[in-house]
Amino acid sequence: MKTCGQIAAWFDRKWPEALACSWDNVGLLAGRADKEVHTVYVALDATEQTIEAAIRARADMLLTHHPLIFGGVKQVSDKDALGRRLLSLIRADISCYSGHTSFDIARGGMADLAAGQFGFFDESRELCPLEVTGEQDGALVGIGKVGTLKELVDIEELSQIVKERFGIPAVNVCSSKKQIRKAALSPGSGKSMIKAAVSAGADVLITGDMGHHEGLDLVAEGVSLIDAGHYGLEHIFVDAVADELEAEGAGLKVIRAPLAYPYKIL
């Protein structure tokens, strides 16, 4: 039988917390490290709906990508959404661990998984982090990936590839060019990746959460945009972590949050 602390340590060994960005908040964010864990619920976000599902499943631990707590918390009450979520977890005695940019950056984490899911990079050519943030086992690691595509494609065809590979119903496209050879892939929010994509000589940035002005600025720099949404590129976290947990065995029951896009196109 595993404890919450042991599962947290397992996650840290695979996707080290030390690699996380300085502004991030990763690790055990709520609950008891010594709590025995029989059931783990894996999700992208610790929403009220996710927590309710974890409670119904009698989960002992909620393991998410995005942190439940980002900034300072001055009170925990039912007056706001964060307080209500924390109270629900505490009442149900569910511990919550979040692995955010630690998972994004580490080898075998989000950057590598997304590149593999995309499956359209030329593997015979070097594939590099879009933004290098450090080293792990002597290799450069960081946010996203940038590399040469298997073949020259137009922006419409590449958009379809992204939709199919990540199971996305729709993407937003802002383009100044038709033909794409070099792509930058940055799961999550890509607003801070504009300079990196331009510096890398990318023809397109595939990311999420880009605003109107950021998209126009990117195109003005000669880089097209495929905005697949924050959830669209990162939902792969759930299956990836659940698969690894199940491979560990140890009698754990692992439950995966169902695929559920937070936005609908009407």
Side-chain angles (χ1 to χ4, degrees):
M1 189 59 58
K2 296 285 188 181
T3 66
C4 178
Q6 288 172 330
I7 294 173
W10 164 84
F11 194 102
D12 183 49
R13 286 193 299 272
K14 295 188 69 65
W15 306 289
E17 293 175 15
L19 294 175
C21 295
S22 60
W23 50 262
D24 201 7
N25 190 28
V26 300
L28 183 61
L29 304 187
R32 300 184 291 114
D34 64 352
K35 178 178 172 58
E36 286 191 355
V37 177
H38 303 269
T39 302
V40 181
Y41 195 95
V42 184
L44 194 70
D45 298 284
T47 63
E48 290 188 24
Q49 293 79 9
T50 295
I51 292 171
E52 288 171 3
I55 293 171
R56 289 195 300 271
R58 298 183 180 276
D60 304 292
M61 186 173 184
L62 174 61
L63 206 165
T64 70
H65 181 47
H66 296 132
L68 173 63
I69 303 170
F70 251 125
V73 178
K74 293 187 176 181
Q75 63 178 21
V76 177
S77 73
D78 61 358
K79 293 181 180 180
D80 58 57
L82 176 58
R84 289 192 293 272
R85 283 179 276 176
L86 284 167
L87 287 171
S88 293
L89 287 170
I90 292 167
R91 280 196 296 263
D93 195 16
I94 297 176
S95 297
C96 181
Y97 181 97
S98 298
H100 189 212
T101 53
S102 53
F103 183 85
D104 287 337
I105 291 167
R107 294 175 63 183
M110 189 70 78
D112 289 335
L113 288 167
Q117 186 89 6
F118 178 49
F120 202 64
F121 284 116
D122 185 347
E123 297 178 0
S124 68
R125 305 204 183 184
E126 187 176 14
L127 189 63
C128 305
L130 176 57
E131 181 180 74
V132 175
T133 59
E135 290 188 9
Q136 183 182 7
D137 301 327
L140 294 177
V141 292
I143 301 294
K145 291 290 183 181
V146 61
T148 304
L149 300 180
K150 291 180 178 179
E151 60 188 57
L152 192 68
V153 294
D154 60 42
I155 191 69
E156 289 83 5
E157 182 179 355
L158 188 60
S159 297
Q160 290 301 316
I161 291 171
V162 172
K163 288 167 59 178
E164 291 169 4
R165 300 293 169 85
F166 288 91
I168 301 169
V171 295
N172 291 324
V173 177
C174 190
S175 180
S176 62
K177 58 179 67 177
K178 294 289 290 182
Q179 299 295 301
I180 306 295
R181 169 60 75 181
K182 191 173 186 180
L185 176 63
S186 182
S189 178
K191 290 181 180 181
S192 63
M193 292 294 107
I194 293 176
K195 288 184 179 179
V198 173
S199 297
D203 297 311
V204 66
L205 173 61
I206 305 166
T207 188
D209 284 358
M210 293 291 278
H212 172 78
H213 298 290
E214 290 85 4
L216 293 180
D217 289 344
L218 189 66
V219 170
E221 294 285 359
V223 183
S224 295
L225 168 68
I226 298 177
D227 188 330
H230 201 125
Y231 186 91
L233 296 179
E234 288 198 328
H235 66 77
I236 58 176
F237 169 89
V238 176
D239 282 338
V241 172
D243 286 346
E244 294 283 354
L245 264 178
E246 288 176 341
E248 282 292 298
L252 288 174
K253 180 180 180 181
V254 181
I255 301 176
R256 305 164 193 239
L259 186 66
Y261 284 89
Y263 297 95
K264 294 181 180 180
I265 298 172
L266 302 177

